[in-house]
Amino acid sequence: MSVTAYAHPNIALIKYWGKAARPGNVPATPSLSITLDGLTTTTTVSEAAEDSFTLDGTPVTDAKVTQWLAALRREHVIPPLAIESHNDFPTAAGLASSASGFAALITAIDGACGLELSRSVRSGLARQASASAARSMFGGFVTLQGPDWQAEPLLEPADWPLEVVIAVSDTGGKAVSSSDGMRQSAEAPYFAAWVDSTGADFHQALAATTARDFPALTELAEHSCLKMHGLMLATRPGLLYWNAATVACLHRIRALRAAGSAVFFTVDAGPQVKAVCLPGHGEAVAEELGQVAGVSRIIHTRLGRGAWLDGS
Ligand code: 2P0
């Protein structure tokens, strides 16, 4: 028994940052994301004598994976598993590898163990490990909101085929994990304001997306991104995920927009900048961001599908 599954990372346009004060890894804020096409996690699970986890060829002990598997086994019959996961992009560097990682893992386990769980149930299980992973179970535009905190697809990739240009400036892992950073941010003076104001951002972004209103989504997405980083900066100790190239890319994207490009930025818990563009605008943006000092790699991609089993 050996099954392989795949998943793409997603990036949030309206950000999730912070946990609700209850068990089950419930977000404090709703989020709206796009699933990316160009980056992929490949995960193979095989029945084995004992559990093991290999990430990009290196055996690792990951407390999150261990605890999540233990919880899964309280509900389902799952034998000891050898898990081999590979990312074709930098891991733990603000490119949402835990989102694609857990979406691929639950899909592979479901297939290998014959659990026959629906996509929504798998998404709910992935959320308990990493809330952003719930969104990578679906393609295109995806929402994650209360009261049930169940991810749902909003638009398929073909419904609004945006382009995404990622400017990679540092592929080292992050100093503070998202989970730890979120816990620390709960004590920040801006936290309540962040939680209180994100609901309105989310609902306006839903309306903008449904209407394919790119200028409105531009304003909302950059606001949500900068507001989240404002909260991160106001956390103690301050969470500063940006480097000089990050800031240079943000200015370059605003200059491009002023000159007529349909593009906006978003940045997650890492220095990479993601530029979201209307169809046809990505090539010029990729060209410009590739010239920014400190940018080592450009990934130019589109919106992609939700997690899938090999052969499906
Ligand atoms: C997001 N991020 O909405 C936000 C924006 C990073 C910045 O979701 O603690 O790995 O495992 O639920 O999902 C990254 O956090 O956090 C994340 P956990 P996760 O995409």
Side-chain angles (χ1 to χ4, degrees):
M1 179 275 290
S2 179
V3 169
T4 297
Y6 308 92
H8 296 306
N10 68 81
I11 53 174
L13 306 184
I14 301 298
K15 303 292 190 187
Y16 146 56
W17 191 259
K19 315 274 188 188
R22 58 189 163 109
N25 198 36
V26 178
T29 59
S31 53
L32 169 68
S33 63
I34 47 177
T35 301
L36 302 181
D37 187 37
L39 316 171
T40 306
T41 297
T42 301
T43 299
T44 301
V45 305
S46 319
E47 199 168 336
E50 58 180 25
D51 281 343
S52 64
F53 179 45
T54 305
L55 183 58
D56 292 330
T58 305
V60 289
T61 303
D62 184 314
K64 216 176 214 185
V65 172
T66 308
Q67 288 164 14
W68 177 79
L69 262 179
L72 201 58
R73 286 192 169 114
R74 289 198 279 276
E75 303 286 329
H76 301 283
V77 178
I78 297 170
L81 296 174
I83 301 167
E84 288 178 49
S85 193
H86 174 74
N87 294 326
D88 67 0
F89 58 94
T91 296
L95 288 172
S97 55
S98 71
S100 50
F102 282 104
L105 181 57
I106 187 62
T107 301
I109 290 174
D110 180 67
C113 302
L115 303 182
E116 298 189 359
L117 303 173
S118 71
R119 191 169 284 273
S120 287
V121 169
R122 279 181 279 143
S123 172
L125 291 169
R127 196 213 71 222
Q128 290 172 24
S130 211
S132 57
R135 303 185 310 231
S136 273
M137 287 304 308
F138 300 96
F141 281 77
V142 181
T143 61
L144 180 60
Q145 61 178 314
D148 61 353
W149 298 101
Q150 193 65 53
E152 287 174 16
L154 179 67
L155 291 183
E156 290 302 313
D159 293 336
W160 202 12
L162 301 182
E163 297 179 36
V164 180
V165 175
I166 304 174
V168 178
S169 55
D170 187 352
T171 55
K174 61 186 91 161
V176 181
S177 74
S178 293
S179 299
D180 288 346
M182 286 188 208
R183 272 188 284 276
Q184 293 164 18
S185 288
E187 307 299 324
Y190 302 167
F191 187 69
W194 159 253
V195 173
D196 287 349
S197 62
T198 296
D201 299 341
F202 173 77
H203 287 290
Q204 288 169 29
L206 281 192
T209 301
T210 308
R212 319 289 200 274
D213 184 342
F214 195 79
L217 191 59
T218 293
E219 198 280 324
L220 289 158
E222 289 195 356
H223 173 61
S224 180
C225 167
L226 294 175
K227 189 161 54 177
M228 177 186 75
H229 284 277
L231 167 65
M232 290 165 161
L233 293 172
T235 296
R236 282 184 170 171
L239 298 165
L240 179 54
Y241 287 110
W242 297 0
N243 59 28
T246 311
V247 179
C249 286
L250 303 191
H251 286 298
R252 194 69 66 97
I253 288 166
R254 287 196 161 170
L256 279 164
R257 192 159 73 238
S261 287
V263 57
F264 64 81
F265 61 72
T266 193
V267 188
D268 295 292
Q272 333 313 339
V273 173
K274 294 96 177 190
V276 181
C277 318
L278 275 181
H281 289 248
E283 205 170 307
V285 171
E287 176 76 20
E288 276 285 321
L289 294 184
Q291 290 170 13
V292 171
V295 171
S296 54
R297 180 178 167 196
I298 292 288
I299 300 168
H300 184 178
T301 187
R302 296 173 185 280
L303 306 198
R305 67 190 289 199
W308 71 102
L309 265 183
D310 195 28
S312 66

